[in-house]
């Protein structure tokens, strides 16, 4: 039986059970204290929550600077360098009952509400896509460090860009489209990655597709899955090229859907109303896309009955490729196949 | 005075002159004979047309296989390998009166009509993104060579994908969104590139943004600009990952807009109703995006009055990055900045 | 005061102290039991040894397959896949007294003796440089899995390649030039990496320069440094292109030299009689070389009084670049500056 | 019959014929006037010489700046930018009688003598490996432009590096090891490349292996082969990382060996006393090495009777990888297989 069918059956079962009161799905709310935050995926101590498939969690997520950037004076060297590596705090880990290595964790993003009145963005020395970095190491002087503050208008659903340096002031409102910068499980092979790294476990993917309504499939590598999330972005361009999106603390509501038992996604997958999506995080960009694209071909073959070469051919004509980030330790790309071209 | 203003003034001038009958804009139509096709950009002989800014041209463009692929039997080794390097025929070159090295040629795509009843796509050995290639050279056996024929329904505006290899037949209609796979001028520095190569002169960019309604800015490197076009794609996914789009001969209508004198774009630029766009063609992907993105920052600074760091910041939040192709000798990416966020 | 001078002074001090009997340098020997092996760098439990600068350690290191590959029948899917991720066992971690985060650990390789009579190499599916991999993911069938056994002649100091597949047998002796495939400290930023990954902490560098006589400088990221080593290669070409060198268990003798206090190398460095060397591990290759090369320029400026641009110029004419591996999760390259061109 | 045997037979034949006086091998000397220089490979007019296999040519080659850089004042913006793209002049093209598309041209470098008393090197804005470039485009200010003059001591066979910027003067002599920065034939597929580009035709390979004693195999793509050479480097580090080697005009003596008829090398190959070598020029570095390494495996299989997987295995243990340049439009790497491990 195919994963997809298994998944649908599980969903139906859960809904039935819930409506019959056999399973009592719970709603959890968790606000971390500063001591609760984690700055890695994997190798973690005690979970902050233990939940069951079918439960809903409402989590406070801090911004990547943990509230240390409030004005344009709070540049990287003052606000973040001193606390390094305690940057990009994660809310978690959350233990999912019944999750065993080899399963797939399924999470649905129900809501993301900014919890503050202003967001921030930045230019950080030797970080970003159009600059030398720790990896693309060169002999230039670093670009300047700068902060931009974006006021949030919750009623309009916008943030406001305010120019800092031009001769005249330029302001423009941008509709919010919030998403989870970071969401992931404990990595495989006993590895532990900083919360600023995306990889096969998910993590710091920084991609626009993990917003409200998205269903996210993550590999379960350890008992309980031990997933975390954080780093909400209210707005971000493709690639997060300057290195930092419009960052804010937020309330995040996520449904833990039934596990897919006995089948582990090779790399994170996402689904929304229009697309099924595979995510690849690697360097260089070529490999990030390759990982995502081959996973998509495999998905089309295994779950939708396509022949491999037909899948490659059709994807070549209708798939979309979306840039997540091109600034992190690994780059993240998403390959999207439109559901309307899937066989019924 | 800024280029943009200069450009607007020119346009107004041209329209005035035309309406006054002072300049008589001409319409040209050109159907190449087999001997007329070119397979390179640059180093060309006699132009097939000499036109003036303000003129309209209607061109027949052949498909990349020059009509040699009619059935699923016409695989690469039979249809194209024997005529190599006479692949991807271009209609041109077209000489534009008044175009001097250092200017920018401005072309607007008015229409693209498929000229045949069926299109084709293919899997070509050692060509594409998910295979070893001449460059990403490996020790594998090549993937198989295959042809797919896509019937065209001009009334519905669709092509039909028909599965070839699965257990059951699967067919699905895909709306056409035709664009010019290839458009470019003669390259700089006396170089000559095959029509299967994109670079700073444009050429084989294979990107969805060169469709109907697009205005394309190309560098003038030699007297007369000597531009060509061809390789119409009726449908193509992001990246053209399998190596070949849905290919067809077509009638292409292009307006030659007034030249931008004395200022040469560093890399091709495109404009449509929603976006201004910069194009980068290079390997690896990282560099293709860098070329396009830095050009966009320069554009925002030079023509729209942004400070450099403000431009980088705002683009980081609102720019889109679109994959053209990731299969050619150079990869092509497009950075798109939404016009709604430009200062008025 | 410069690091180099500090280092020289320390050495002199140690030698004096030792000869005066004030410090009693110790010699340790350690043979791990199967349960002692570690398969990660960082996040480790109890050290297997606690040593002091000035001490010598003699360690048994297992081969990467922990003795599971004895004949050509023991291909990856039979010998290693079942125990994954327990591959590439490390001897360690070793705690160095006095080592604090921010210091540099200095280790000198005194001897490497093969401890067995035959070594092995392999072709592992989807692993190596001329094949699709987990990262450079493609749609090919994997290359075949194969084992080669290399008999060791300790008297001649050679291993023997024996062809497996050609029409006629071909055998040839290759002089051994053993080195440590893996040597590293606990990583920074609370991260934990599998023993198959090289990074700024060293680890799985697989480069020929870590052989007998080499002095290796590693960053101290945690108290005690917690270094490990293993994976001896008796012979390896540049790049370890097929994915696996000539692998054998060995006895390894290493001197723990005086720590460089208060100065941490940014990336591993190596020194032998002829060269000072900087190591970069990253993807793609471009970045691995950039990391190593910029570190070398910094070294020339900080320790040898060069102006930055003079250093870049002179290195451009006399530095050598050596490929370590181009098959691991990160690639490793070494930039070598000849000591004869250093100012006295 | 194998190419190698064919080649050996040809050589024997030529030597016999020569000694019998049947073929009268000629010696040619050619000193170009400024008007004779070419700045591209391919698409050329009249050859400067027509020679036969067996002939020897002695050519004057200009330095890459055509003598415009004589003092440290002659920085790029003053000396070379004004004449762009007339940079890196080539001596040629030379027509080889009997060379037909599909053959391999074989050239042996007999001598390279510097023809001037001083050489130069430089730091050129946005050019080199540790800087943003036209391709790796970023938002930094360029590194400074600088010239270094290297006095040549022909008796000692050295050039002298003289520091420019440090507090104290530092001078050091470096033994000359001259090689041809550029050597290539007319490219395939009607393409024309600037003399600053290496590719499958050879060209601007900038690799140390094309020195005195090297035999160079180049593809014949057009009748007469139309090869050129130039850009002698007296000294160069691996990678030419700063962008410019120690450059000088020179007298170059080359023997045109018998053609290999009916078999065209896929990419340039080189042979010296110790190694057979394959050259790959591409971006990124990964692909340059892949091209060279796969060509080496093919060579071992086709000419030396190895099984493909045995060849891959043995090369993995004994092959060397040498960096040519990592600064040109394409990067050049060389894979070297030691002759002592070849079957007799």
């Amino acid at each position: 039986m195919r994963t997809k069918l298994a998944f649908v059956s599980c969903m139906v079962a859960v809904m039935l059970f819930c409506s019959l009161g056999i399973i009592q799905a719970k709603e959890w709310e968790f606000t971390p204290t500063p001591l609760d935050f984690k700055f890695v995926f994997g190798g973690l101590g005690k979970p902050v929550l233990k939940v069951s498939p079918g439960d809903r969690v409402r989590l406070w997520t801090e911004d990547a600077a943990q509230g240390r950037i409030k004005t344009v004076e709070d540049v990287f060297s003052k606000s973040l360098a001193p606390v390094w590596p305690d940057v990009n705090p994660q809310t978690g880990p959350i233990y999912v009952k019944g999750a065993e290595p080899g399963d797939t964790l399924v999470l649905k993003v129900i809501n993301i509400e900014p919890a503050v009145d202003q967001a921030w963005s930045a230019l950080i020395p030797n970080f970003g896509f159009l600059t030398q970095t720790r990896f693309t190491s060169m002999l230039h002087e670093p670009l300047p460090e700068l902060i931009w503050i974006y006021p949030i208008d919750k009623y309009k659903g916008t943030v406001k860009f305010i120019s800092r340096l031009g001769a005249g002031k330029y302001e423009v409102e941008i509709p919010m489209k919030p998403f989870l910068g970071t969401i992931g499980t404990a990595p495989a092979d006993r590895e532990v990655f900083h919360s600023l790294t995306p990889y096969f476990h998910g993590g710091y993917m920084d991609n626009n597709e993990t917003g409200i309504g998205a269903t996210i499939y993550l590999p379960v590598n350890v008992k309980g899955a031990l997933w975390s999330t954080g780093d909400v972005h209210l707005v971000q361009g493709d690639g997060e090229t300057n290195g930092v999106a419009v960052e804010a603390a937020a309330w995040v509501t996520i449904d833990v859907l039934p596990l897919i038992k006995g089948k582990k996604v090779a790399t994170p997958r996402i689904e929304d109303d229009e697309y099924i999506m595979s995510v690849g995080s690697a360097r260089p960009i070529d490999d990030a896309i390759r990982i995502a694209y081959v996973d998509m071909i495999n998905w089309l073959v295994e779950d939708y009955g396509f022949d491999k070469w037909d899948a490659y051919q059709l994807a070549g004509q209708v798939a979309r490729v979306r840039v997540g980030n091109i600034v992190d330790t690994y780059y993240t790309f998403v390959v999207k196949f439109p559901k309307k071209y899937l066989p019924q």
Side-chain angles (χ1 to χ4, degrees), chain A residues 171-182:
Chain A
E171 300 186 359
V172 67
E173 290 188 334
I174 308 169
M176 284 194 280
K177 192 180 167 302
F179 67 88
L180 308 170
T182 317

Side-chain angles (χ1 to χ4, degrees), chain A residues 212-227:
Chain A
I212 298 168
T215 300
I216 304 168
Y217 302 82
L218 296 169
V220 180
N221 297 308
V222 302
K223 194 171 162 60
L226 294 179
W227 65 279

